[in-house]
Amino acid sequence: MKTKFKLLLTCSVAGLLLAGCGDSKKSNKGALSTNAAEKVYVAPGEYDEYYGFFSGGFSGQLSVYGLPSGRLFKVIPVFSQDPEKAYGYSEETKPMLMTSHGFIPWDDSHHPDISQTKGEVDGRWIFINGNNTPRIARIDLEDFSTAEILEIPNSAGNHSSSYVTENTEYVVAGTRFSVPIPQRDMSIKDYKGNFKGALSFISVDQESGEMDLSFQILMPGFNYDLSHPGRGKSHGWFFFTTYNTEEAHSLLEVNASQNDKDFIAAVNWKKAEEYIKAGKGKKMPAKYAHNKFDNSTHMATHTMKDEVLVLDATELPGLVYLLPTPKSPHGCDVDPSGEYIVGNGKLSANLTVHSFTKMLDAIENKKFDGDAYGLPILKFDDVLAGVVEQPGLGPLHTEFDGKGNAYTTFFISSEVVKWKLGTWEIVDRKPTYYSVGHLMIPGGNSAKPDGKYMVAMNKITKDRYLPVGPDLNHSAQLYDITGDKMELILDFPTIGEPHYAAAIKADKIMHKSRQIYKLDENKHPYVTKNPSEAKVVRKGNEVHINMTMIRSHFTPDNIEGVKVGDKVFFHVTNLEQDFDVPHGLAMLGANTTELLVTPGKTETFVWEPKQVGVWPFYCTDFCSALHQEMQGYIRVSPADSDIELSWSLDDE
């Protein structure tokens, strides 16, 4: 009986995996042929070992998964409106989505990166880029919410971001598309030599996390694809892949693939700081938004800035060097020691690995092979550490396990290849399903990776899940990498198109998680801390309702004297001070979402009644046994009515 129960349990868990127990055609290949089910099983009431933060791609959001279970815990709204949490709909959060182009309620989020201290992920904040309207967001991991969004001027296609230095001194943002800087009316045919790329360095306050656009480096008009920071011996440097060094402006799939080698741009940001201190930076007019959320007022503010400090790399010796890299490199990855810089050439048959030590020697001894717009090109053989020979087709990204191994994804041949640093020998390869892009090892972009799991993020699923029409879920696949051979142990669908992910051990952040907002610290201008203080106030055609919510009652719950054409503001405070007791509020006919108000917070939405009648509002979050009774009414009278405002309180 005990054996039978164990088999049934294994079968039920394996239903989450690659093979179903009832599918005889797959059972000899799937989880039942190994202990994969045991490796990913998290028993009821137990916790996952890691938090995984997956970019939402074209959803504009960031999703949180448990690893190894693959369970979705939360979708954090960042660049896109989210009706579940009223992000971008509530009056408090609308300013977060303001830009120099106005209110932009969407973006394309690609690359999350967790803050670091001494090269280790520390769990304070996570940063992610908006690719379309160039922005960087900071998410506070105390409450898993977006705390700040900074727009990036002089940029287009903010792709090579948001990667952090090993003490979170800077977050970088590199432009994918070069553009005229400053923007102006110019013929696209005049691209070559006139368009520029900007690499932005955003400083981070070590106490508050607040970001500031410290400086930008103007570069030649290439495309800047991805980047990674130096660490250890290469701390103080940042490395960016480039493609389209041909500076083509049409048919890029052909015209930007002519050169045998493009470049990895090695940027000495310590030297940049020296130049700035010496007064070599120039202020340039530039309009960009800086949006911040205040946890004491529970409100976001939107500020427009009007200038940026710029360093022109072509005029400042020692700031940037170019490492020739075959061919059209995409990923740019630095190993935990900081010695090896891996260039993943999309069209290259081999993987190119540069040596930081050799790079310094080549710089010191002027081993140059010409220049590009005045930027020295280092001789290829003099900076080359080694080559991984013909590892696969379409290399994209590499991460490291901290045990001397590297793992590279191959988009065309749909596989992950494991190889050794220093000897460059291939030791294992495993298929992915299908067309893998990024991969992620927890802490893989740090000096101390946790070499237990690797996640491959695939662009195509085809036959992995039940069909739901032509637009299928993307697939994340979890591999056990503790042994010599990789083992595929789980796949799970994801939100949007996850380009990249970052993960951290749960015990580094779970005990820091905020449970409530203290009511006595609430400084919202419309906070109502006691039901007896609830009120309704008319200011011309504006009606402000200061409302409280607590299990299972709104105060006030019945309001009269509102008129057609009024603009009604619901300022709602959740009086609960117990963990995990949010309340919701929705109003019939409101041209917005509900509010979901967590304990101790105040949030606001606007309703503009257009019809005479008696209209209900109610709690949208099931909060108690009497949740259904948590409701109220607003009477709406004609615009010329002389009915005075009146409302009922708890003691009436």
Side-chain angles (χ1 to χ4, degrees):
M1 178 66 72
K2 190 173 182 180
T3 302
K4 184 176 180 181
F5 173 78
K6 188 172 181 180
L7 177 60
L8 287 171
L9 175 61
T10 304
C11 284
S12 66
V13 176
L16 298 172
L17 302 173
L18 308 180
C21 286
D23 188 343
S24 60
K25 291 184 292 185
K26 288 191 176 181
S27 62
N28 63 334
K29 300 179 184 177
L32 292 183
S33 64
T34 70
N35 65 342
E38 296 176 13
K39 290 184 177 182
V40 302
Y41 180 63
V42 177
E46 294 186 2
Y47 296 140
D48 279 274
E49 187 176 0
Y50 294 90
Y51 285 104
F53 299 89
F54 288 66
S55 70
F58 43 66
S59 78
Q61 313 293 40
L62 180 69
S63 51
V64 186
Y65 291 84
L67 298 176
S69 73
R71 296 178 295 183
L72 175 64
F73 294 148
K74 187 182 183 72
V75 176
I76 302 172
V78 184
F79 299 112
S80 298
Q81 290 175 298
D82 178 30
E84 178 187 351
K85 304 172 189 69
Y87 180 85
Y89 291 97
S90 72
E91 297 303 296
E92 287 79 7
T93 58
K94 284 179 181 177
M96 295 297 287
L97 301 180
M98 291 299 296
T99 74
S100 63
H101 305 277
F103 182 75
I104 305 290
W106 173 84
D107 217 309
D108 184 16
S109 59
H110 278 224
H111 305 124
D113 207 16
I114 299 171
S115 57
Q116 297 184 22
T117 301
K118 296 181 180 178
E120 284 191 69
V121 291
D122 57 29
R124 291 178 293 168
W125 313 294
I126 187 164
F127 303 87
I128 190 167
N129 61 319
N131 189 38
N132 181 63
T133 305
R135 288 175 278 185
I136 295 286
R138 175 176 60 88
I139 290 89
D140 190 338
L141 291 181
E142 180 185 75
D143 59 6
F144 286 65
S145 68
T146 302
E148 187 177 14
I149 296 179
L150 181 66
E151 187 179 4
I152 311 300
N154 298 328
S155 186
N158 173 35
H159 195 256
S160 49
S161 60
S162 54
Y163 300 103
V164 304
T165 54
E166 64 180 0
N167 288 299
T168 322
E169 298 97 337
Y170 294 105
V171 180
V172 302
T175 187
R176 175 180 167 191
F177 311 113
S178 288
V179 293
I181 298 177
Q183 276 285 13
R184 57 196 181 277
D185 186 11
M186 176 184 288
S187 174
I188 299 169
K189 293 179 181 179
D190 294 332
Y191 181 115
K192 191 166 186 175
N194 294 306
F195 284 35
K196 302 292 182 185
L199 308 179
S200 301
F201 283 73
I202 298 154
S203 61
V204 181
D205 184 274
Q206 296 304 297
E207 294 298 322
S208 67
E210 185 170 322
M211 300 184 294
D212 182 63
L213 180 49
S214 183
F215 61 90
Q216 291 185 317
I217 298 176
L218 283 189
M219 297 284 287
F222 309 148
N223 290 55
Y224 297 85
D225 204 350
L226 278 164
S227 62
H228 266 77
R231 55 180 60 93
K233 63 176 65 179
S234 55
H235 178 67
W237 291 78
F238 229 103
F239 303 93
F240 295 79
T241 48
T242 72
Y243 67 100
N244 192 24
T245 53
E246 299 85 350
E247 295 183 87
H249 62 270
S250 65
L251 292 174
L252 261 64
E253 67 274 23
V254 175
N255 294 326
S257 304
Q258 302 298 308
N259 294 339
D260 288 335
K261 295 182 179 69
D262 294 279
F263 304 119
I264 289 177
V267 178
N268 187 340
W269 57 262
K270 291 283 190 181
K271 176 67 73 173
E273 291 179 334
E274 292 176 12
Y275 276 129
I276 291 168
K277 190 174 181 180
K280 299 295 185 180
K282 300 175 183 177
K283 292 289 181 71
M284 175 184 289
K287 290 192 177 299
Y288 60 102
H290 192 183
N291 308 327
K292 296 182 284 185
F293 192 86
D294 187 322
N295 272 336
S296 62
T297 64
H298 306 173
M299 299 179 72
T301 56
H302 160 65
T303 304
M304 288 299 300
K305 298 198 171 184
D306 56 14
E307 65 178 13
V308 62
L309 184 65
V310 171
L311 299 170
D312 190 333
T314 65
E315 298 175 356
L316 300 172
L319 184 56
V320 178
Y321 297 91
L322 301 178
L323 285 61
T325 306
K327 175 179 185 181
S328 295
H330 182 57
C332 179
D333 303 286
V334 180
D335 86 301
S337 73
E339 170 63 17
Y340 297 121
I341 304 116
V342 183
N344 302 275
K346 301 189 297 290
L347 303 179
S348 175
N350 302 323
L351 276 180
T352 300
V353 185
H354 298 297
S355 162
F356 179 74
T357 302
K358 286 188 171 184
M359 184 192 88
L360 291 184
D361 178 75
I363 292 170
E364 184 178 355
N365 292 291
K366 296 182 169 50
K367 297 176 180 178
F368 301 143
D369 192 11
D371 69 89
Y373 294 99
L375 301 180
I377 301 171
L378 300 174
K379 288 185 176 180
F380 178 73
D381 291 336
D382 287 312
V383 296
L384 185 68
V387 173
V388 183
E389 299 281 353
Q390 298 185 335
L393 298 176
L396 291 185
H397 302 282
T398 301
E399 291 223 342
F400 310 90
D401 61 9
K403 296 178 280 190
N405 302 304
Y407 301 73
T408 300
T409 57
F410 292 84
F411 178 81
I412 297 173
S413 52
S414 291
E415 60 185 332
V416 176
V417 174
K418 177 181 177 180
W419 50 276
K420 282 194 172 295
L421 291 163
T423 67
W424 325 120
E425 62 180 310
I426 295 170
V427 294
D428 191 24
R429 62 176 71 239
K430 282 291 184 293
T432 61
Y433 305 97
Y434 304 90
S435 299
V436 61
H438 277 277
L439 76 165
M440 179 272 290
I441 292 171
N445 182 32
S446 74
K448 294 187 178 179
D450 292 322
K452 186 171 184 178
Y453 298 117
M454 180 268 291
V455 180
M457 284 152 275
N458 307 311
K459 302 302 182 185
I460 298 173
T461 53
K462 289 182 181 176
D463 54 5
R464 305 311 291 173
Y465 312 117
L466 289 171
V468 290
D471 185 19
L472 299 175
N473 293 94
H474 289 262
S475 172
Q477 296 187 307
L478 181 69
Y479 294 76
D480 181 337
I481 59 171
T482 55
D484 292 333
K485 302 294 183 181
M486 296 175 279
E487 181 187 4
L488 177 59
I489 57 176
L490 179 70
D491 65 12
F492 54 96
T494 56
I495 301 293
E497 181 193 5
H499 287 260
Y500 187 50
I504 186 171
K505 281 203 166 179
D507 59 16
K508 284 194 174 183
I509 57 176
M510 62 181 295
H511 301 297
K512 302 177 185 177
S513 179
R514 177 188 287 274
Q515 297 188 345
I516 63 169
Y517 294 86
K518 293 180 180 178
L519 196 58
D520 59 5
E521 295 177 0
N522 185 331
K523 297 179 181 178
H524 192 288
Y526 288 96
V527 63
T528 307
K529 297 184 179 181
N530 190 293
S532 64
E533 299 170 2
K535 60 186 176 181
V536 184
V537 177
R538 177 176 289 282
K539 298 178 181 178
N541 72 331
E542 289 187 358
V543 175
H544 291 263
I545 303 172
N546 285 29
M547 179 179 284
T548 63
M549 46 186 14
I550 198 166
R551 287 166 287 185
S552 294
H553 190 72
F554 293 107
T555 304
D557 57 356
N558 291 306
I559 301 168
E560 300 195 16
V562 172
K563 302 174 186 180
V564 172
D566 281 344
K567 193 172 185 178
V568 182
F569 292 78
F570 287 82
H571 307 288
V572 190
T573 303
N574 183 347
L575 298 182
E576 305 284 357
Q577 292 290 266
D578 291 330
F579 183 36
D580 193 28
V581 190
H583 292 293
L585 175 66
M587 181 72 219
L588 194 158
N591 187 22
T592 184
T593 62
E594 53 111 38
L595 294 179
L596 186 64
V597 190
T598 50
K601 285 192 81 172
T602 301
E603 294 189 22
T604 303
F605 76 68
V606 175
W607 174 51
E608 298 184 62
K610 295 177 176 61
Q611 299 178 46
V612 168
V614 179
W615 309 105
F617 57 88
Y618 67 100
C619 178
T620 54
D621 190 271
F622 207 102
C623 54
S624 72
L626 296 176
H627 164 73
Q628 294 293 93
E629 283 73 17
M630 192 167 175
Q631 67 170 61
Y633 288 101
I634 295 183
R635 175 186 173 186
V636 178
S637 301
D640 59 358
S641 170
D642 58 2
I643 297 175
E644 295 293 326
L645 281 178
S646 63
W647 61 94
S648 59
L649 299 180
D650 289 350
D651 57 355
E652 294 180 357

